[in-house]
Amino acid sequence: MTLHSLQSWMQAVVTHPSGIVAGINSDAAQAWAGVSVENIESIIGRSQSLGSVERLAVYGNAYFARLLECLGEEFPAVKQLLGEDAFNTIGFQYLQACPSRSYTLNELGRSFPNFLRETRPQDVPAPSWPDLLINLATVERTYSEVFDGTGIEPLDDADADSSTWAKLLAAGFRALTPDELAAIGPEDMGAIQLQAAPCLRLLTLDFPAHEFISALRRSENAEVTPPPAQPTLLVVTRRDFVVRRSVVSKFEFAVLQALLAGESLSAALQTAADFASDDLPSSTNIAAGFEGWVKARWFIGFKLAN
Amino acid sequence: MTATNSLTPRLGYPHLGFGVGLRATHYPYILEHEPAVDWFEIISENYMDSQGRPRYVLEQIAERYPVVMHGVSLSIGSTDPLNLEYLARLKRLAAWTQAVWISDHICWTGVNGVNGHDLLPLPYNDESLNHVIARVRQVQDYLERPLVLENPSSYVTFRESTMTEWDFATSLCEATGCGLLLDVNNVFVSCFNHDLDPLEFIRSLPHDRIVQFHLAGHTHCGTHIIDTHDNFVIDQVWELFRLAHELTGGVSTLLEWDANIPDFKTVHAEVLKARDFMHATPMNRPQVTESLKIEPQRRRAVPQPASFITAEAE
Ligand SMILES: [Fe+2]
């Protein structure tokens, strides 16, 4: 047997969801090595105290257990809401549908929110518990990506050309600070285009999932009552290496979306006013809100649109 | 890269002393107290893509301590092509951490595009040896430095094997000039699981190629042992360590603790026990290690070579 056949066979056997014997008999394993359970010792030797199948089972038992453990660490709120058994059942299905294909475990949970969306039970009306699960998974995954992804804190970047600030300057933006903002003349204000922090994410949720997640962390995983449904517009970002989140109004959310799409400030305000005419703040509130966004480093660069 | 030069022990790498595997749970303690640990080993995959807190913490640690990079996803034994993007990131990480060396395992972690995040054993024969030799050369050429490879804990043996694990490792070193990371606990675990003699294993290795030792705890399941890194080092492993120390003349020594991780001081104190065992004779050997006093937490024994760093959110 070639090394490639042996590895392909062993992987098919130890990752089989129904265990080693089913793995040995599976079409995939049989295609690589046509060996039966009875003849397994022609591939895997036994030890004095364990048979070949039991020895393979050490790898088999560990495969899903290890990855479920990782998934549970990334999605503690989903796990808490489902309970360990149900979480492991869903996670087990997910890992079969989306096995790790990356060198890093950071990728393992990437498709989990989407998997929950696609497998949502059709007969349960929305928004209800499946949607809360999907929301929790979405927020927890966003936290992971924002926590370890590109941010605005200074790092000794060996590859300085790819740093956030280098990219900003290369795209013709100037750094935006509260002082810079104050120095922009009122006549230019509407024409500015903004560069968001690379870690800024906008999430549309059916539940205040972030509150459940925070409550769970504070209670150190004791029982926390799940929140009732409530449309929630969440901004997630990172400052000082910690993930931050804020709830915004429908109007603010629309402004943020338009700014992220590259609209000038005045165009974004107009877009948002058309979209959220039932939710218009006063112009002083708009100005104060915008200043707050700059202070919170949601936007880090600006240029005059022309 | 030339063949083994037996005149230069440890490939010429320094003896860094007694180090500890860096784990996220110890970040706050290390940053606040700057403990007097000799060096840190990092899991390469936890930092190679990070643009957040793990990387920021590592920047500070790399300024204060020697850092060695230890990977779990190189998959040097796999028949899948080497992942060049992975190697590029590994090299970049080594550059900015000024990693003293880069290690991984004599194993494969998956095939046909899948990563099982486990350290799977190879059959030890000419085909696998030639395969690994070619890949080690490719990696060393790319990284522009010798690789250091660790003996994994294993739970199966293959009928296709025609040589021992130690002969395989020896031939690999001779052909590629790579170094060895001798995990003393893994020797104990694998030898128990395969009815082999751990003393013969350690005596048969090319001692001048051993750059580093690993020490760790494990879970004994009666019929077999699982490499869980969740406890103190047992006395029999300390005995093997003493032998390995004698045969190598002493090399950088590191303690791995990956599950049920105690506070930093406990982990650090555990690796410092190595100093007591280095020169111990049967007459004056340290009495009872704590592994005999502490009952391991009853959890499912799962080897978890890679770890996931959880996000910190307000
Ligand atoms: Fe190890």
Side-chain angles (χ1 to χ4, degrees):
Chain A
M1 198 188 328
T2 63
L3 181 59
H4 181 68
S5 301
L6 180 62
Q7 291 182 338
S8 302
W9 174 84
M10 184 168 167
Q11 182 168 281
V13 170
V14 302
T15 64
H16 196 281
S18 305
I20 299 302
V21 170
I24 293 169
N25 292 327
S26 69
D27 292 347
Q30 286 294 319
W32 293 110
V35 68
S36 64
V37 175
E38 291 71 38
N39 292 326
I40 188 66
E41 285 189 39
S42 65
I43 301 184
I44 303 290
R46 57 174 303 127
S47 73
Q48 279 172 19
S49 36
L50 284 186
S52 309
V53 170
E54 295 167 297
R55 300 181 90 193
L56 281 166
V58 175
Y59 291 106
N61 295 338
Y63 174 72
F64 285 107
R66 174 175 49 246
L67 298 179
L68 284 172
E69 200 176 293
C70 280
L71 215 54
E73 284 170 25
E74 182 163 10
F75 299 99
V78 176
K79 188 171 176 175
Q80 166 76 30
L81 190 64
L82 278 169
E84 182 149 7
D85 289 348
F87 178 82
N88 285 346
T89 303
I90 291 182
F92 186 57
Q93 290 162 359
Y94 170 68
L95 292 170
Q96 290 169 65
C98 306
S100 173
R101 305 187 73 85
S102 169
Y103 55 82
T104 167
L105 282 169
N106 291 355
E107 290 296 306
L108 187 68
R110 180 177 293 284
S111 306
F112 192 52
N114 209 32
F115 178 81
L116 293 178
R117 216 170 282 128
E118 282 170 1
T119 54
R120 182 192 187 285
Q122 295 296 319
D123 50 344
V124 182
S128 58
W129 65 268
D131 308 291
L132 175 55
L133 280 181
I134 294 166
N135 280 186
L136 289 171
T138 303
V139 174
E140 291 189 311
R141 179 63 201 175
T142 303
Y143 284 3
S144 294
E145 291 177 7
V146 167
F147 176 68
D148 212 35
T150 310
I152 54 175
E153 304 89 346
L155 286 168
D156 304 338
D157 208 310
D159 194 11
D161 290 345
S162 68
S163 77
T164 301
W165 302 104
K167 281 185 190 155
L168 192 76
L169 295 174
F173 286 95
R174 288 165 55 191
L176 180 61
T177 60
D179 288 347
E180 285 276 5
L181 180 68
I184 301 171
E187 68 285 0
D188 288 334
M189 201 60 179
I192 62 169
Q193 268 182 323
L194 292 154
Q195 178 62 49
C199 43
L200 191 78
R201 302 283 185 280
L202 307 180
L203 299 178
T204 307
L205 307 170
D206 304 311
F207 291 82
H210 63 291
E211 284 176 7
F212 182 71
I213 293 168
S214 298
L216 205 60
R217 280 174 197 242
R218 280 194 300 271
S219 74
E220 289 180 345
N221 297 334
E223 204 65 48
V224 174
T225 317
Q230 181 193 326
T232 301
L233 301 168
L234 195 68
V235 176
V236 180
T237 190
R238 189 179 86 205
R239 268 193 325 280
D240 301 326
F241 298 108
V242 175
V243 176
R244 321 278 172 166
R245 77 284 183 293
S246 321
V247 172
V248 294
S249 71
K250 191 173 158 191
F251 176 81
E252 291 171 317
F253 199 80
V255 175
L256 289 165
Q257 278 181 316
L259 289 173
L260 257 59
E263 289 186 26
S264 70
L265 185 54
S266 58
L269 290 169
Q270 190 54 56
T271 305
D274 295 344
F275 172 75
S277 49
D278 53 334
D279 183 37
L280 291 184
S282 71
S283 54
T284 23
N285 283 351
I286 294 176
F290 183 65
E291 250 179 70
W293 297 353
V294 173
K295 262 193 198 131
R297 314 295 281 141
W298 291 3
F299 292 97
I300 58 169
F302 75 102
K303 64 182 172 188
L304 289 176
N306 39 18
Chain B
M1 209 58 59
T2 54
T4 304
N5 173 1
S6 59
L7 296 176
T8 323
R10 305 184 304 257
L11 306 182
Y13 283 131
H15 184 339
L16 296 175
F18 302 92
V20 165
L22 180 64
R23 302 294 180 258
T25 178
H26 294 144
Y27 286 169
Y29 180 86
I30 296 166
L31 294 181
E32 189 182 337
H33 299 279
E34 295 192 37
V37 59
D38 294 339
W39 61 288
F40 281 104
E41 182 185 77
I42 63 164
I43 301 297
S44 310
E45 290 79 3
N46 283 346
Y47 301 93
M48 58 203 293
D49 298 324
S50 177
Q51 290 292 318
R53 182 160 160 80
R55 176 180 170 143
Y56 174 68
V57 171
L58 180 56
E59 279 182 359
Q60 296 173 74
I61 286 173
E63 272 176 24
R64 299 169 201 177
Y65 301 92
V67 165
V68 165
M69 279 164 52
H70 184 54
V72 291
S73 287
L74 176 61
S75 202
I76 197 76
S78 173
T79 46
D80 274 5
L82 283 167
N83 182 339
L84 300 181
E85 175 62 25
Y86 172 83
L87 287 177
R89 288 171 179 274
L90 200 64
K91 192 173 185 179
R92 227 176 293 152
L93 180 65
W96 75 255
T97 58
Q98 298 187 290
V100 190
W101 59 83
I102 301 174
S103 67
D104 204 291
H105 303 79
I106 303 177
C107 77
W108 57 289
T109 63
V111 70
N112 304 319
V114 168
N115 187 354
H117 299 278
D118 202 350
L119 309 171
L120 301 167
L122 285 161
Y124 303 119
N125 56 34
D126 288 337
E127 185 200 3
S128 60
L129 179 61
N130 290 331
H131 178 68
V132 177
I133 286 172
R135 283 162 66 100
V136 168
R137 286 186 177 139
Q138 200 185 335
V139 171
Q140 293 186 149
D141 284 348
Y142 182 79
L143 296 178
E144 301 175 281
R145 54 163 93 204
L147 252 186
V148 176
L149 291 170
E150 172 178 353
N151 57 301
S153 277
S154 58
Y155 313 103
V156 295
T157 48
F158 299 97
R159 290 290 182 203
E160 299 265 333
S161 287
T162 56
M163 62 181 93
T164 60
E165 186 176 349
W166 52 86
D167 284 342
F168 185 92
T170 304
S171 300
L172 183 62
C173 288
E174 280 170 2
T176 65
C178 74
L180 290 179
L181 193 177
L182 176 60
D183 188 315
V184 182
N185 177 61
N186 287 355
V187 170
F188 184 82
V189 169
S190 294
C191 287
F192 182 89
N193 291 340
H194 309 322
D195 310 308
L196 297 169
D197 177 7
L199 299 173
E200 185 184 5
F201 191 127
I202 289 176
R203 287 199 182 107
S204 307
L205 290 169
H207 303 119
D208 56 332
R209 310 307 296 182
I210 297 173
V211 171
Q212 180 189 337
F213 295 141
H214 266 173
L215 293 163
H218 59 236
T219 303
H220 204 306
C221 305
T223 52
H224 58 289
I225 300 179
I226 298 185
D227 180 36
T228 44
H229 298 184
D230 63 347
N231 211 326
F232 295 96
V233 179
I234 67 159
D235 283 0
Q236 287 153 294
V237 170
W238 282 123
E239 273 305 306
L240 294 177
F241 166 77
R242 197 187 49 71
L243 172 68
H245 173 80
E246 193 181 295
L247 293 171
T248 57
V251 303
S252 306
T253 299
L254 185 119
L255 184 85
E256 299 180 286
W257 205 315
D258 292 299
N260 302 331
I261 305 178
D263 61 30
F264 186 84
K265 280 185 183 167
T266 306
V267 176
H268 190 201
E270 185 65 6
V271 74
L272 294 181
K273 285 183 192 167
R275 294 187 301 205
D276 304 331
F277 278 91
M278 279 181 333
H279 309 293
T281 64
M283 299 306 292
N284 71 358
R285 92 168 50 115
Q287 280 304 302
V288 181
T289 59
E290 276 172 274
S291 46
L292 303 177
K293 299 181 206 150
I294 291 204
E295 183 63 20
Q297 259 184 43
R298 280 293 133 217
R299 60 199 288 281
R300 198 141 44 132
V302 176
Q304 184 70 282
S307 64
F308 179 80
I309 299 181
T310 326
E312 289 170 51
E314 60 179 11

